């Protein structure tokens, strides 16, 4: 069995609009899977299923040998472990940023996972240094530029050290310098053995990172 597997999944919105019918796909550990397709083709919905924010109505989603369902994730301990292993970067970073300071954004996940104050502070300082955003630590996230917000949002995900990183249009809204930084960072993550799943239209990102491309058009 693959590390991540979707087996004949069915998914429809509440209005009855069907997005997936008998859809299957698989991802191996340490690889990068890229989702492409027109707007409305189901890319974001599929990413939400993979992160446990939406659930299939039929078929199976299996993560590392465990079927992921709403019932499975209702258990708080299981949910915490799953969301520690699987990180999600939303396309719009504003939906992820809600703390009064950048430091607290990055510290939020480690605190939720029960790390001590000392462990949390050490991890946050390391992440701030890694992302070269130490000068933003006391800033209000709401007042940052779009590129800075995206960097802080990604830093808050990486603070949990996820095995799998799922990204929805990670280059959206970024200038050339920010796009270059994010592309290099994702390349390093893959080189370090992380599993990446991303929806993107960026040819360079697809060429440099993708082990498989799934077109949902």
């Amino acid at each position: 069995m693959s590390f991540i597997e979707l087996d004949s999944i069915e998914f429809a919105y509440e209005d009855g609009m069907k997005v997936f019918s008998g859809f299957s796909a698989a991802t191996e550990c340490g690889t990068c899977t890229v989702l492409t397709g027109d707007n409305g083709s189901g890319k974001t919905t599929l990413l939400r299923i993979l992160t446990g924010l939406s659930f299939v109505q039929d078929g199976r989603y299996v993560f590392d040998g465990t079927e992921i369902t709403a019932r499975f994730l209702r258990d708080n301990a299981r949910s915490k472990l799953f969301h520690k292993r699987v990180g999600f970067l939303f396309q719009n970073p504003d939906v992820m940023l809600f703390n009064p300071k950048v430091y607290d954004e990055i510290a939020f996940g480690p605190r939720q996972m029960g790390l001590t104050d000392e462990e949390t502070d050490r991890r946050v300082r390391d992440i701030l240094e890694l992302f070269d955003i130490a000068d933003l630590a006391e800033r209000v996230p709401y007042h940052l530029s779009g590129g800075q917000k995206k960097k802080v949002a990604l830093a808050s995900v990486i603070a949990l050290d996820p095995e799998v990183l799922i990204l929805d249009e990670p280059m959206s809204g970024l200038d050339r310098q920010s796009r270059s930084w994010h592309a290099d960072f994702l390349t390093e993550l893959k080189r370090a053995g992380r599993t990446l799943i991303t929806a993107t239209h960026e040819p360079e990102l697809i060429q440099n990172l993708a082990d498989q491309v799934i077109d949902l058009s």
Side-chain angles (χ1 to χ4, degrees):
M1 179 175 287
S2 299
F3 184 47
I4 297 172
E5 189 169 325
L6 298 166
D7 182 15
S8 301
I9 66 167
E10 306 274 341
F11 184 90
Y13 295 124
E14 290 183 359
D15 63 4
M17 178 181 174
K18 184 161 285 190
V19 184
F20 297 110
S21 179
F23 177 80
S24 296
T27 294
E28 303 303 331
C29 187
T31 64
C32 176
T33 295
V34 170
L35 307 179
T36 62
D38 299 332
N39 291 338
S41 61
K43 298 186 301 294
T44 296
T45 299
L46 188 59
L47 297 183
R48 288 180 59 86
I49 290 170
L50 293 171
T51 52
L53 298 177
S54 296
F55 301 96
V56 301
Q57 284 118 22
D58 201 0
R60 300 171 75 235
Y61 164 32
V62 179
F63 175 81
D64 195 17
T66 298
E67 185 174 1
I68 303 302
T69 63
R71 180 177 181 180
F72 178 83
L73 291 181
R74 274 198 291 269
D75 181 277
N76 190 53
R78 292 183 205 164
S79 180
K80 273 190 174 183
L81 178 58
F82 175 75
H83 288 109
K84 179 183 184 301
R85 298 183 70 187
V86 180
F88 186 25
L89 181 70
F90 288 77
Q91 180 175 354
N92 180 4
D94 285 329
V95 305
M96 299 179 64
L97 304 177
F98 55 89
N99 281 285
K101 295 189 299 184
V102 167
Y103 180 99
D104 295 315
E105 289 291 355
I106 300 171
F108 181 80
R111 286 169 175 163
Q112 291 294 107
M113 293 298 162
L115 270 64
T116 66
D117 289 344
E118 182 180 355
E119 290 171 323
T120 296
D121 183 68
R122 182 167 58 249
R123 184 170 295 195
V124 172
R125 298 297 174 188
D126 287 346
I127 293 290
L128 288 168
E129 185 72 22
L130 175 66
F131 280 71
D132 194 25
I133 53 173
D135 58 321
L136 303 180
E138 300 301 313
R139 294 275 303 276
V140 180
Y142 182 77
H143 293 152
L144 300 177
S145 69
Q148 289 171 329
K149 287 180 180 178
K150 201 106 175 186
K151 217 172 187 183
V152 171
L154 180 57
S156 70
V157 175
I158 296 300
L160 288 173
D161 195 24
E163 300 169 44
V164 180
L165 185 59
I166 295 178
L167 312 101
D168 193 357
E169 300 288 357
M171 302 300 189
S172 175
L174 298 180
D175 59 26
R176 179 175 297 180
Q177 183 177 356
S178 295
R179 289 153 72 97
S180 177
W181 184 91
H182 278 77
D184 289 345
F185 186 77
L186 294 178
T187 299
E188 288 302 314
L189 280 180
K190 184 185 175 186
R191 191 171 292 146
R194 297 297 193 271
T195 302
L196 306 178
I197 301 174
T198 181
T200 185
H201 294 98
E202 298 291 327
E204 184 177 351
L205 202 62
I206 296 170
Q207 180 178 351
N208 293 337
L209 281 178
D211 293 295
Q212 69 168 333
V213 177
I214 299 174
D215 188 354
L216 298 179
S217 295

